Amino acid sequence: MNRSIVGGGSSVAVQKLVAKPDQLIKRRGKAGLLALSKDWPDTKRWIQDRAGKPQRVESVTGTLSSFIIEPFLPHLSDAEYYICVTSARRRRSTMECLGYESITAIALTAEGVPERQAREILWKAQEKGVLIIGPATVGGIKPGCFRIGNSGGMMDNIIASKLYHPGSVSYVYKSGGMSNELNNILSLVTNGTYEGIAIGGDRHPGSTFIDHLLRYEADPTCKMLVLLSEVGGVEECRIIEAAKSGAIKKPIVAWAIGTCASMFTTEVQCGHAGSMAHSDSETADAKNKAMREAGFIIPATFEELPQALKDTTISDERGQELLYAGMRISDVFREDIGLGGVVSLLWFKRWLPSWAVKFIEMVLMLTADHGPAVSGAMNTIVATRTGKYLISSLASGLLTIGSQFGGALDEAASMFSGARDMGLTPMEFVDNSRKANKLIPGISHKIKSVNNPDLRVELVKEYVRKNFPSHSLLDYALAVEKVTTSKKDTLILNVDSCIAVCFVDLLRDSGAFTPEEADEYIKIGTLNGLFVLGRSIGFIGHHLDQKRLRASLYRHPADDIVINIADLSQPGVLGKMHEHRVNVFLLCDVWTKRKREMFYPGAPL
């Protein structure tokens, strides 16, 4: 920092600060080069008094040129953290700290801790419920919050790796050097590091990979996990079990370092005390294979780790070419994946089988429009004829989508799949719904019936039966339809519910999703998203039609409105109409030639 200090915005001016040189790491406190709880003017003066002037620290004399200014955070009385740096007193001082109830975490950066002492510290920490990071750790970092030890390096590296603000990817590893490499990679291919911890390379670390990954899993701000393990040990087995049991659900990008060890004829220790394989299952190759089989994202080599991280994002425009879930835009056209393929990449972050991609496109075409009389189209038209532009008119139509209009896909998928999963027969499903006084979503049609089927439904059934590897939920829904149509021939499976159950079959039986992923996509609104995307095409068409026809302000025809005024025969009632309740009903089912003329003036009937 130059001696002429500028800045001091409103946020800086009102808070207490900490100032220190970005030099002399681990010696600043002893040398009196820490300014604590200073306001902005005092901080400026403190830096100016020291910047560019000779400073002696122990036996070294030099000039301070770079300083760090950070917010001063008061020490909370119920949460303390201790960092043990000096190896000579590592056990005594650490055990002493474990006697204080307010200390919840201890970082042991000291190296060379005897294994017996490390096990003793670990046992005591577990008894006290204290998190131990280390021994022999470089520390950890949580951008925008804290850093332990020398994690992140000097200020130039912190800026280059964007460690001054939090991202959404958390990692855990052993080595400090590789932690800095991960910070750099994450800054280049993701939105950055949320938290990173190096647990240390000793044989008995105070905390393990799974301890920190479970913390990250419980933090909703963290969206993706990165694990760099290494040859030796079986800690990865615990992570695999956690992923299989559902304790960890977030995507894990992982790599076990030390694959070169298999090239040697004798046992190889790769740097850290614990990095030696004592069995085939502890080799890096075996670990990578097991983690890949468990569903982790495992690159072919460490050099391909950045690309693996890219593939977990929706799109990335920072390179020379736009990427959709890791696929180059040029390859999108070269492979001719179509609109369905683009939806599969951006919504599901994977390229689905060709029959699934074609089904997505089929759904978009079938749901694109259902005439101008339906609620959403009518709202779009009315808004357009009031002079609204495209976005407002489209939004007006889309806001009508719900359980009564177009939004039954999610509910139908949930109810049909839930009933089938519970083992209910079609008859039991119908009877239970009747007893609960609950309508089955997607069953019934105002016009179509068993003898006058909806051709859209027939097209979907034909395609699914011909191309899907399995269509068990569709078969179940059709069995339900047989029960309902035996009561009334218009209680048929309509196009919304038909699409819904078929899409559940796609999610569960395509082989592209785990059962948990399939259920999650049903719950978060994916199926209704298909209707919204498809129907937007039709709504835009209606908007453009009204603009092209220069349609005037819409007014609903009076003969389509019923006004019910009570007791008109009573004397004086017309003079007291304000005392009577007036009910106005809009009869949306009436579609006359006059109404068509009002919507599309001049158009042929």
Side-chain angles (χ1 to χ4, degrees):
M1 175 179 289
N2 295 328
R3 292 193 63 187
S4 58
I5 303 174
V6 297
S10 59
S11 61
V12 173
V14 298
Q15 62 179 319
K16 295 295 184 179
L17 303 170
V18 174
K20 54 193 173 184
D22 191 23
Q23 300 159 271
L24 305 172
I25 305 300
K26 300 181 182 178
R27 294 174 175 83
R28 294 173 295 202
K30 289 183 178 180
L33 293 174
L34 287 175
L36 301 175
S37 190
K38 302 284 188 183
D39 57 22
W40 174 239
D42 288 342
T43 301
K44 288 175 63 177
R45 282 192 294 270
W46 188 89
I47 294 174
Q48 288 169 339
D49 290 344
R50 291 159 179 77
K53 297 177 182 178
Q55 297 285 335
R56 183 174 180 81
V57 178
E58 297 178 357
S59 60
V60 178
T61 300
T63 301
L64 300 179
S65 59
S66 181
F67 289 77
I68 300 172
I69 301 174
E70 299 173 330
F72 173 74
L73 300 177
H75 202 61
L76 301 177
S77 59
D78 60 345
E80 297 187 32
Y81 303 89
Y82 175 70
I83 301 176
C84 179
V85 178
T86 308
S87 298
R89 57 188 186 199
R90 58 213 163 209
R91 179 193 174 280
R92 178 176 58 82
S93 58
T94 304
M95 296 297 282
E96 180 182 345
C97 287
L98 287 172
Y100 293 92
E101 296 295 332
S102 60
I103 293 180
T104 58
I106 297 175
L108 281 162
T109 63
E111 297 181 342
V113 177
E115 291 185 6
R116 182 180 179 279
Q117 292 186 10
R119 291 196 298 271
E120 185 180 357
I121 291 171
L122 176 58
W123 178 84
K124 189 68 173 178
Q126 289 176 339
E127 183 183 63
K128 294 288 188 178
V130 175
L131 174 68
I132 299 289
I133 303 173
T137 176
V138 73
I141 190 165
K142 190 170 184 178
C145 186
F146 70 83
R147 73 167 174 168
I148 303 169
N150 199 26
S151 290
M154 302 284 282
M155 182 58 68
D156 56 347
N157 189 68
I158 289 176
I159 294 174
S161 298
K162 302 174 184 174
L163 295 174
Y164 45 83
H165 67 81
S168 58
V169 184
S170 296
Y171 68 82
V172 60
Y173 184 51
K174 295 184 175 183
S175 163
M178 291 309 299
S179 297
N180 282 337
E181 178 65 18
L182 274 177
N183 288 329
N184 178 54
I185 291 173
L186 293 178
S187 72
L188 294 174
V189 300
T190 74
N191 67 345
T193 300
Y194 178 69
E195 183 178 338
I197 295 292
I199 63 173
D202 284 2
R203 196 181 302 274
H204 300 287
S207 56
T208 60
F209 292 145
I210 188 67
D211 295 329
H212 295 284
L213 290 176
L214 289 174
R215 285 196 307 106
Y216 301 156
E217 174 67 28
D219 192 329
T221 310
C222 172
K223 304 301 182 184
M224 181 166 63
L225 314 180
V226 176
L227 166 66
L228 269 188
S229 65
E230 60 184 28
V231 59
V234 293
E235 175 67 15
E236 294 78 6
C237 295
R238 297 178 63 193
I239 303 169
I240 290 172
E241 289 304 314
K244 288 182 177 179
S245 68
I248 296 179
K249 299 178 181 179
K250 294 175 181 177
I252 303 177
V253 180
W255 178 252
I257 292 175
T259 54
C260 64
S262 60
M263 301 178 184
F264 297 88
T265 56
T266 59
E267 286 187 346
V268 178
Q269 181 171 326
C270 299
H272 294 142
S275 59
M276 177 184 288
H278 298 286
S279 66
D280 289 342
S281 63
E282 295 185 26
T283 64
D285 287 330
K287 290 183 178 185
N288 286 327
K289 182 175 183 292
M291 290 189 292
R292 184 179 290 109
E293 291 173 350
F296 296 11
I297 302 167
I298 309 295
T301 65
F302 179 78
E303 287 74 15
E304 296 180 33
L305 180 65
Q307 184 62 48
L309 289 164
K310 278 187 178 182
D311 290 346
T312 62
T313 60
I314 296 177
S315 62
D316 188 350
E317 81 292 347
R318 291 174 294 180
Q320 293 183 344
E321 190 172 0
L322 178 66
L323 301 176
Y324 284 172
M327 188 176 193
R328 295 181 179 88
I329 193 66
S330 58
D331 291 335
V332 168
F333 289 95
R334 187 177 298 112
E335 299 289 341
D336 193 23
I337 69 173
L339 180 58
V342 171
V343 171
S344 74
L345 291 176
L346 297 184
W347 288 20
F348 306 111
K349 300 179 184 178
R350 66 204 76 187
W351 192 357
L352 298 177
S354 57
W355 57 267
V357 169
K358 179 64 178 176
F359 181 73
I360 292 174
E361 294 179 349
M362 184 178 188
V363 170
L364 297 179
M365 289 187 281
L366 288 172
T367 59
D369 192 39
H370 200 194
V374 296
S375 304
M378 180 180 290
N379 265 28
T380 301
I381 291 169
V382 172
T384 302
R385 293 178 63 168
T386 63
K388 296 293 185 180
Y389 291 102
L390 174 62
I391 302 302
S392 298
S393 299
L394 177 60
S396 178
L398 292 176
L399 287 173
T400 64
I401 295 176
S403 58
Q404 298 298 312
F405 169 65
L409 279 77
D410 285 336
E411 191 176 357
S414 179
M415 282 194 65
F416 278 100
S417 59
R420 202 256 322 252
D421 293 344
M422 290 171 59
L424 298 178
T425 66
M427 180 64 76
E428 289 171 335
F429 175 39
V430 174
D431 287 343
N432 288 353
S433 299
R434 178 179 55 79
K435 291 175 183 177
N437 197 27
K438 187 173 183 179
L439 296 175
I440 300 176
I443 290 286
S444 82
H445 202 288
K446 292 182 178 180
I447 301 173
K448 301 298 181 180
S449 64
V450 174
N451 298 318
N452 180 29
D454 187 338
L455 291 181
R456 296 175 300 170
V457 174
E458 299 303 309
L459 287 170
V460 171
K461 292 192 295 185
E462 180 183 0
Y463 180 84
V464 169
R465 286 168 170 164
K466 183 177 179 181
N467 296 283
F468 276 36
S470 172
H471 42 78
S472 56
L473 191 59
L474 172 62
D475 294 339
Y476 181 84
L478 292 175
V480 171
E481 182 188 52
K482 286 186 178 180
V483 176
T484 56
T485 53
S486 66
K487 305 176 185 298
K488 188 177 180 181
D489 67 351
T490 58
L491 295 178
I492 59 173
L493 195 68
N494 65 32
V495 68
D496 292 347
S497 56
C498 185
I499 289 172
V501 296
C502 292
F503 209 86
V504 173
D505 283 331
L506 184 156
L507 291 170
R508 291 185 171 184
D509 301 328
S510 66
F513 304 93
T514 65
E516 293 77 17
E517 286 177 324
D519 290 340
E520 182 178 35
Y521 277 117
I522 295 170
K523 292 176 182 177
I524 63 178
T526 308
L527 280 73
N528 278 352
L530 288 170
F531 182 87
V532 169
L533 181 59
R535 190 52 59 94
S536 294
I537 300 171
F539 289 170
I540 292 172
H542 289 298
H543 169 83
L544 297 176
D545 270 349
Q546 297 301 308
K547 291 295 186 183
R548 179 179 55 82
L549 294 169
R550 295 174 178 82
S552 60
L553 181 67
Y554 173 76
R555 182 177 177 84
H556 201 74
D559 61 1
D560 197 26
I561 300 174
V562 174
I563 300 178
N564 180 22
I565 303 177
D567 299 328
L568 282 178
S569 61
Q570 295 295 323
V573 72
L574 294 178
K576 300 180 181 180
M577 285 186 61
H578 62 280
E579 297 178 2
H580 295 271
R581 184 166 58 94
V582 179
N583 296 322
V584 180
F585 301 95
L586 178 63
L587 305 181
C588 297
D589 292 334
V590 179
W591 181 245
T592 62
K593 292 182 179 180
R594 177 179 175 184
K595 186 185 295 184
R596 181 173 179 83
E597 176 63 23
M598 292 191 71
F599 276 127
Y600 292 95
L605 297 177

